[in-house]
Amino acid sequence: MTKKISLMGAVLIIIGQTIGIGLFFKSHGIFESNDNNPIGIILSWLIGGILTLFAGLSITQLSRTKQEKYFINGFSQWINTSCGKTLGDMSYFFRQILFFSSVTFMLSVFCLEAIFESFNYHGDIWIIFITSFIVCLLITYLNMVKRTVMVKLPHYIGAIKFVPMILCVVAAIIVACTGKGIDGLEYDNLFISKDVGKLSFSGVFNSIPAILFAYNGYLVVGNLVNKINDPKKTVPRAMSIANSIIIGIYITISITLIVNGATGGIILNIFGEGLGKTLMSIVLFIVSLGSVVLFNAVSFNTVDEAINFKQTIGSVLLNKLDNKKSGLGSLTLNYLLFVLYFIIFSIPSIILDTDAIFDSSSNVGTFITFMLCGILFLGFLIKYFKKKINIKIKFHNLAIIIFSGICVFIIAIYSIFYDFIAEICNDPYGKSVSGIFYQNQGINNILDGLVFWITIIFFILLTLINQIWINKKRHKI
């Protein structure tokens, strides 16, 4: 009999899946969105955390309902029950196939950028994109031939990501006591600095999409429901405990960054420009490598599922390639997706000599995921009030679901309107905050908006084309 996951095990899994590269890669943009205002930065992390906590608790309530028969458990099954089979299929294809594979590809770029940066390489960006593409192909191949090893690898790598967090706390204590960093330089505490912007509602909400990227791992609860001990009691408790800890960690790290005035990176402030830059790049490389391996392992397995259950275009042919369960079908489809992403994202980036396109596009998957959450909550509520779902929900839990559904939609709509309509109209040629290591070759707000909309249209079109194919296959049967 398989051993069930305990409460502590569930908490550790959620924390391990959630805390990752989002904290390291998105902090700079959050500081810029709030014009370095410390209260705005903390409020951004707090609001994002509370929203994620409520969304997670809402999902645990949905998981208690009797689910309609579906080929897979978890998030897509809940959408299938609450919103219908078509949306369930489309959410599966988007999240399980497009989202995980695209994040793998984008993170591999950031991963390679980090290691190139540690060697102070600032040459042609096309070398980074070509190398990251090859790395993606290699890791996917290793997931096919060494699947057991590759699934365990991210857990060992993941422990390293807590090293810079500990450094942040140590640095904050040193600066708070002495007013100077380890390198002896004085740093500008943003809590008392006069060189910060005013607290603004728009700045806080402008940060939410990037922050939700950092909290995105909470949906791992969808894969835990059938694997943990007494899920009806354990999952809500695990979500509450884990998300509370995550919110505390993120806010603590943000405060240390604020105290150090570390808008460009805490490690840089501790060790100075030379050694600090190298150490920061190495840490980012290791953390992002762990995320690349993890997302690729998930992508490989879910693509394998989609092929077996005929949920993707070409599944019949891909099944023939995989007739001995070799994983060759999944490998082929992942490779085709990587080639497609290279054409769509890498070639324009090479032409413009910037990584801003990747940074901007990386928020799209998270945005659509949270929109799906909002649709899920509202669909569930409609069926619940029409008494089509036979379950009793306590008033406070029902209030949380209603609050989560409304907030997700308000934030998503506001983010679209402010970031990609109002901001562009107000300052069309202003420099976008998107970009990681090649931010100096950044893009303007018009191009940033175009990237966002083109990426959304690209993902939606692929999903619709796949759904049309699935519907035709069903009619034939």
Side-chain angles (χ1 to χ4, degrees):
M1 184 177 177
T2 306
K3 187 178 179 180
K4 294 283 187 175
I5 299 170
S6 65
L7 172 63
M8 182 59 68
V11 168
L12 292 175
I13 289 171
I14 295 168
I15 292 173
Q17 291 284 336
T18 303
I19 296 178
I21 61 158
L23 175 63
F24 301 107
F25 282 132
K26 299 297 182 179
S27 288
H28 179 75
I30 293 163
F31 271 75
E32 281 203 16
S33 295
N34 286 284
D35 201 11
N36 293 336
N37 183 281
I39 305 301
I41 294 165
I42 294 171
L43 275 177
S44 298
W45 284 107
L46 184 61
I47 291 171
I50 291 172
L51 179 60
T52 305
L53 174 62
F54 283 172
L57 291 174
S58 299
I59 282 178
T60 61
Q61 292 299 315
L62 269 59
S63 68
R64 293 174 52 229
T65 63
K66 184 179 179 181
Q67 302 295 321
E68 294 179 12
K69 188 177 179 182
Y70 198 57
F71 73 95
I72 195 73
N73 293 326
F75 187 71
S76 297
Q77 183 186 31
W78 303 333
I79 291 185
N80 173 65
T81 299
S82 300
C83 307
K85 189 169 181 61
T86 298
L87 195 58
D89 289 343
M90 291 175 71
S91 70
Y92 177 83
F93 181 79
F94 164 73
R95 180 160 176 81
Q96 303 299 101
I97 298 178
L98 296 183
F99 177 72
F100 287 124
S101 60
S102 64
V103 169
T104 298
F105 187 75
M106 291 173 185
L107 291 183
S108 69
V109 172
F110 299 147
C111 177
L112 266 293
E113 278 190 295
I115 196 61
F116 274 82
E117 185 73 13
S118 67
F119 290 104
N120 290 317
Y121 175 82
H122 300 101
D124 295 328
I125 198 171
W126 67 266
I127 295 176
I128 293 173
F129 288 124
I130 295 292
T131 308
S132 62
F133 177 70
I134 294 170
V135 167
C136 260
L137 301 183
L138 177 61
I139 290 176
T140 307
Y141 175 76
L142 290 174
N143 263 313
M144 182 180 75
V145 297
K146 299 288 183 181
R147 195 175 299 192
T148 304
V149 176
M150 295 301 284
V151 168
K152 292 180 179 178
L153 185 60
H155 301 295
Y156 299 113
I157 296 175
I160 299 173
K161 65 191 172 190
F162 290 98
V163 174
M165 296 180 191
I166 295 170
L167 285 176
C168 284
V169 177
V170 172
I173 294 171
I174 291 172
V175 173
C177 295
T178 66
K180 295 181 179 180
I182 292 175
D183 57 5
L185 296 176
E186 293 185 4
Y187 292 109
D188 190 15
N189 185 336
L190 297 182
F191 280 117
I192 58 177
S193 173
K194 295 180 180 179
D195 190 25
V196 297
K198 293 181 180 180
L199 174 64
S200 71
F201 176 81
S202 60
V204 171
F205 270 73
N206 195 27
S207 306
I208 296 299
I211 286 173
L212 292 181
F213 180 90
Y215 281 111
N216 195 39
Y218 85 97
L219 279 173
V220 71
V221 73
N223 300 321
L224 294 177
V225 173
N226 299 321
K227 298 178 182 179
I228 71 172
N229 186 36
D230 193 8
K232 289 184 179 180
K233 291 183 179 179
T234 305
V235 171
R237 291 175 184 173
M239 285 298 304
S240 300
I241 295 169
N243 275 305
S244 297
I245 292 171
I246 292 164
I247 292 169
I249 290 173
Y250 280 168
I251 291 177
T252 300
I253 300 303
S254 294
I255 290 172
T256 61
L257 292 170
I258 291 165
V259 169
N260 283 268
T263 58
I266 187 69
I267 299 176
L268 205 65
N269 271 24
I270 297 174
F271 297 101
E273 283 286 338
L275 180 60
K277 194 173 184 180
T278 301
L279 288 175
M280 181 182 70
S281 299
I282 291 172
V283 169
L284 289 176
F285 167 73
I286 295 170
V287 171
S288 53
L289 177 63
S291 298
V292 169
V293 174
L294 176 63
F295 274 107
N296 188 252
V298 174
S299 176
F300 194 92
N301 291 329
T302 53
V303 166
D304 215 21
E305 283 176 352
I307 293 169
N308 291 333
F309 290 105
K310 296 180 174 59
Q311 290 292 308
T312 181
I313 291 176
S315 55
V316 175
L317 178 60
L318 293 169
N319 252 321
K320 289 180 181 178
L321 290 173
D322 202 25
N323 58 355
K324 294 183 179 180
K325 303 296 180 183
S326 62
L328 190 58
S330 182
L331 180 77
T332 303
L333 183 53
N334 270 289
Y335 276 9
L336 289 173
L337 287 170
F338 292 147
V339 170
L340 189 60
Y341 298 146
F342 184 85
I343 293 169
I344 297 294
F345 300 117
S346 294
I347 291 178
S349 297
I350 291 170
I351 294 171
L352 296 172
D353 193 28
T354 181
D355 64 359
I357 289 176
F358 276 83
D359 188 30
S360 182
S361 300
S362 66
N363 291 326
V364 171
T366 303
F367 167 79
I368 295 178
T369 297
F370 273 83
M371 280 294 292
L372 286 172
C373 283
I375 293 169
L376 170 61
F377 300 152
L378 295 181
F380 173 83
L381 288 169
I382 290 170
K383 280 198 170 183
Y384 179 79
F385 286 119
K386 286 184 175 180
K387 297 183 178 181
K388 292 183 177 180
I389 293 179
N390 188 23
I391 183 176
K392 289 184 178 180
I393 300 178
K394 292 180 180 179
F395 177 78
H396 67 277
N397 288 328
L398 190 61
I400 286 174
I401 297 174
I402 294 171
F403 176 81
S404 300
I406 293 172
C407 283
V408 166
F409 270 110
I410 289 175
I411 289 174
I413 292 169
Y414 177 86
S415 297
I416 284 184
F417 176 78
Y418 183 83
D419 289 349
F420 304 106
I421 298 176
E423 189 73 8
I424 294 172
C425 294
N426 290 335
D427 189 14
Y429 299 104
K431 185 180 176 183
S432 166
V433 298
S434 298
I436 307 295
F437 292 103
Y438 281 75
Q439 193 183 28
N440 290 335
Q441 298 99 307
I443 56 181
N444 61 36
N445 287 325
I446 288 179
L447 191 52
D448 194 21
L450 283 173
V451 168
F452 179 84
W453 288 111
I454 289 171
T455 305
I456 282 185
I457 292 168
F458 170 68
F459 282 141
I460 290 175
L461 277 177
L462 284 181
T463 304
L464 286 173
I465 290 168
N466 189 73
Q467 189 59 35
I468 291 169
W469 178 85
I470 290 175
N471 291 338
K472 283 184 178 180
K473 295 294 287 185
R474 282 183 185 145
H475 288 312
K476 285 182 180 179
I477 294 171

